[in-house]
Amino acid sequence: MKRIIIIGASSGIGREAALQFIRRGYHVGVAARRESALQELKALAPEQVAYSLIDVTDGDASSKLLELVKELGGMDVFLLCAGIGKQNAALRMDIELSTAQTNVLGFIRMVDTAYGYFREKGEGHIAVISSIAGTKGLGAAPAYSATKRFQNIYIEALEQLARMQGLKIRFTDIRPGFVDTDLLGDDKKYPLLMRPGKVAKRIVCAIERRESVCTMDWRYRIIVFFWRLVPRFIWKRLPIRN
């Protein structure tokens, strides 16, 4: 059976993805900050699931990840779902910095640890949940869109690095639009809202098909296509909110 580690599995997309992989017979290592939610997942399939309390912003997150890998008996796929983001037109410094702390520093910490493990193993698959928000700079959420763009570029760079080093490491950059999770818990109305369960099923397909980039769904693929065509001098005049 394949073994997958999912970081950020206590709720939302991460939890739904964990449920999907459990149903498909994977051995699943789940990690997050809320132990009760992880215990619930383990109770569903005690022989398939291992868990660990991991906060990606902590300095010991890398060692805890490797301990979870050992407990699971190895790792074939690594899926990073942990991330935060808020609309912040007021540019509250605490929001901007905490977003960067999780989505950049925590992201690097986890992805590089997985890369190092797969480098030693000789092969593996790294998948991350980024966002279509990385396509353009969004004035309503500066740190969020910037950190998601960082993630897009980082995975692209690691993909090239792995090839340069002759490693059989595959990468999947998963870019959803608005998903009905706690991340959007601000009472705003979001367009083209997707259900976490449907997104999780698409994630499983993207990983098993070894897709490099997966933009969800077809409506967002159209939006991203046209966003990229908008010149900068026009983009800055567009009042894009939620």
Side-chain angles (χ1 to χ4, degrees):
M1 292 184 184
K2 287 190 175 182
R3 292 169 168 81
I4 183 171
I5 299 286
I6 303 175
I7 308 295
S10 61
S11 63
I13 297 174
R15 177 179 173 77
E16 292 296 328
L19 292 172
Q20 290 292 328
F21 282 108
I22 290 171
R23 293 184 188 118
R24 295 179 77 85
Y26 281 67
H27 286 292
V28 182
V30 291
R33 294 179 298 176
R34 292 192 294 119
E35 187 169 17
S36 60
L38 300 177
Q39 290 174 335
E40 290 174 4
L41 285 171
K42 182 170 178 61
L44 294 175
E47 300 302 317
Q48 284 179 250
V49 179
Y51 78 86
S52 176
L53 292 176
I54 297 178
D55 183 338
V56 301
T57 65
D58 287 344
D60 63 354
S62 292
S63 59
K64 286 185 175 180
L65 170 56
L66 293 177
E67 289 171 4
L68 179 58
V69 171
K70 185 176 181 180
E71 182 180 352
L72 194 65
M75 177 172 66
D76 303 301
V77 183
F78 174 78
L79 173 59
L80 180 60
C81 300
I84 62 173
K86 291 184 179 180
Q87 293 195 35
N88 188 26
L91 286 183
R92 279 181 47 187
M93 190 68 71
D94 59 330
I95 292 176
E96 299 296 276
L97 292 177
S98 63
T99 301
Q101 181 77 14
T102 298
N103 295 357
V104 174
L105 300 183
F107 180 91
I108 292 174
R109 183 176 288 115
M110 292 291 90
V111 170
D112 283 12
T113 302
Y115 186 97
Y117 173 83
F118 289 138
R119 180 174 54 206
E120 294 298 319
K121 181 182 178 182
E123 63 179 349
H125 191 157
I126 295 174
V128 302
I129 307 294
S130 62
S131 171
I132 66 163
T135 306
K136 287 281 190 178
L138 302 177
Y144 182 71
S145 59
T147 56
K148 291 302 176 179
R149 182 58 175 166
F150 170 87
Q151 293 176 0
N152 299 156
I153 295 298
Y154 201 86
I155 288 299
E156 183 179 344
L158 286 188
E159 190 170 31
Q160 184 185 71
L161 178 62
R163 188 169 183 83
M164 289 166 55
Q165 295 177 338
L167 302 174
K168 295 180 180 179
I169 303 178
R170 296 170 294 277
F171 298 85
T172 299
D173 184 355
I174 300 159
R175 304 176 182 179
F178 294 125
V179 183
D180 188 11
T181 66
D182 293 341
L183 187 65
L184 301 182
D186 52 14
D187 298 323
K188 296 180 183 294
K189 293 183 178 180
Y190 291 87
L192 306 180
L193 202 61
M194 295 183 290
R195 302 299 300 175
K198 182 178 180 180
V199 171
K201 289 179 180 178
R202 183 68 183 89
I203 288 171
V204 173
C205 289
I207 290 175
E208 293 191 337
R209 294 174 182 172
R210 300 179 180 179
E211 298 177 27
S212 293
V213 177
C214 174
T215 301
M216 291 184 254
D217 54 11
W218 64 270
R219 300 167 298 175
Y220 283 106
R221 287 195 290 272
I222 292 173
I223 290 172
V224 168
F225 174 80
F226 285 106
W227 271 8
R228 286 174 172 159
L229 298 179
V230 179
R232 183 167 179 164
F233 75 92
I234 293 178
W235 181 262
K236 68 182 180 182
R237 291 172 170 80
L238 297 178
I240 295 179
R241 297 181 176 85
N242 61 329

